[in-house]
């Protein structure tokens, strides 16, 4: 199993550009989520999904879009990049807690710099 | 909104020492996760707890649901345990996670 595959690992954008961070998992997990990690702060939830066709906002959703057309994929789109979106982004997936398959699996992270 | 706090923020210890990292949360949860992040960034899941205690090698995690508190213990600490340890509280129903800011552990040989 590949686990959670997240691309790209590094990206530099200019203000106003758009891009998509890709996330794919091969474990048939229902729950997928995107976080950003900034110095001195904990991981903050951007958007999450509890299954194909279902997404919801997290703590810091502004400036980001997501979709979940398949169980495997959960891309994060930056619509018009801003310097405040400079961060390290992590995708994570898990099964449902009530089925005792709730262990978290993280992608390797994507370091995004917006100039 | 759940408030998750970890202590200490930074911890330096000698090799072989017993380590304790604490995590408290403000709202009842369905599960508590402990994660490890090494320099260079990868995040690895250590434990998921709903009650009681779990052990994996030299790592032990406990949770007290009534007190809304969890601890991560490391026995016979080793320099390779140096990392940031993060706890995360999982909400009932929507499965959302709230993370602590992490504890940076440094083990000196």
């Amino acid at each position: 199993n590949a686990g959670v595959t997240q691309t790209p690992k590094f990206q530099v954008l200019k203000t106003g550009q758009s891009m998509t961070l890709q996330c794919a998992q091969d474990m048939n997990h229902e729950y997928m989520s995107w976080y950003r990690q900034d110095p001195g702060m904990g991981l903050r939830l951007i958007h999450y999904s509890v299954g194909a066709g279902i997404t919801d906002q997290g703590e810091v959703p502004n400036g980001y879009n997501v979709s979940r057309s398949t169980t495997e994929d959960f891309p994060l789109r930056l619509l018009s990049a801003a310097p405040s979106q400079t961060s390290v982004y992590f995708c994570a997936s898990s099964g449902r807690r009530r089925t005792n398959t709730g262990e978290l699996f993280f992608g390797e992270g994507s370091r995004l710099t917006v100039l | 909104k759940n408030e998750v706090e970890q202590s200490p923020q930074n911890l330096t210890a000698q090799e072989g020492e017993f380590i304790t990292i604490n995590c408290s949360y403000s709202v009842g949860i369905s599960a508590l996760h402990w994660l490890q992040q090494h320099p260079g960034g990868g995040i690895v899941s250590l434990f998921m707890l709903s009650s009681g205690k779990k052990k994996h090698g030299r790592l032990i995690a406990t949770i007290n649901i009534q007190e809304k508190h969890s601890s991560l213990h490391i026995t016979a600490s080793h320099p390779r345990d140096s990392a940031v340890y993060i706890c995360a509280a999982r909400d009932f129903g929507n499965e959302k996670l709230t993370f602590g800011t992490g504890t940076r552990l440094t083990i000196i040989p």
Side-chain angles (χ1 to χ4, degrees), chain A residues 31 33 35 37 40-45 48 50 57-59 90 94-98 100-108, chain B residues 1 30-31 33 35 37 40-45 48 50 54 86 88 90-102:
Chain A
Y31 184 83
S33 50
Y35 304 90
Q37 186 177 42
M41 306 185 77
L43 288 153
R44 292 184 293 168
L45 180 65
Y48 69 102
V50 296
Q57 295 182 349
E59 184 183 353
F90 287 95
S94 69
R96 300 304 293 270
R97 186 210 57 81
R98 64 174 178 269
N100 204 32
T101 58
E103 183 182 355
L104 286 166
F105 293 82
F106 284 83
E108 294 182 346
Chain B
K1 181 179 182 294
S30 66
H33 294 261
L35 310 168
Q37 186 174 26
I43 300 174
V44 175
S45 177
M48 183 182 76
S50 298
K54 287 190 176 180
I86 303 167
R90 194 164 193 166
D91 284 355
F92 283 107
N94 62 19
E95 309 281 329
K96 286 169 66 173
L97 290 161
T98 304
F99 291 80
T101 54

Side-chain angles (χ1 to χ4, degrees), chain B residues 26-52:
Chain B
S26 59
V27 177
I29 59 174
S30 66
L32 191 289
H33 294 261
W34 281 102
L35 310 168
Q36 180 191 58
Q37 186 174 26
H38 275 109
I43 300 174
V44 175
S45 177
L46 297 176
F47 294 103
M48 183 182 76
L49 289 164
S50 298
S51 63

Side-chain angles (χ1 to χ4, degrees), chain A residues 22-84:
Chain A
Q22 301 290 345
C23 179
Q25 53 88 12
D26 60 0
M27 297 170 281
N28 201 32
H29 283 167
E30 295 172 290
Y31 184 83
M32 296 186 74
S33 50
W34 277 102
Y35 304 90
R36 59 179 289 172
Q37 186 177 42
D38 300 294
M41 306 185 77
L43 288 153
R44 292 184 293 168
L45 180 65
I46 304 171
H47 285 285
Y48 69 102
S49 169
V50 296
I54 305 169
T55 63
D56 205 349
Q57 295 182 349
E59 184 183 353
V60 287
N62 293 339
Y64 307 95
N65 271 359
V66 292
S67 60
R68 185 93 180 270
S69 57
T70 67
T71 299
E72 293 78 19
D73 299 299
F74 191 47
L76 177 73
R77 298 182 185 85
L78 280 71
L79 308 172
S80 177
S84 61

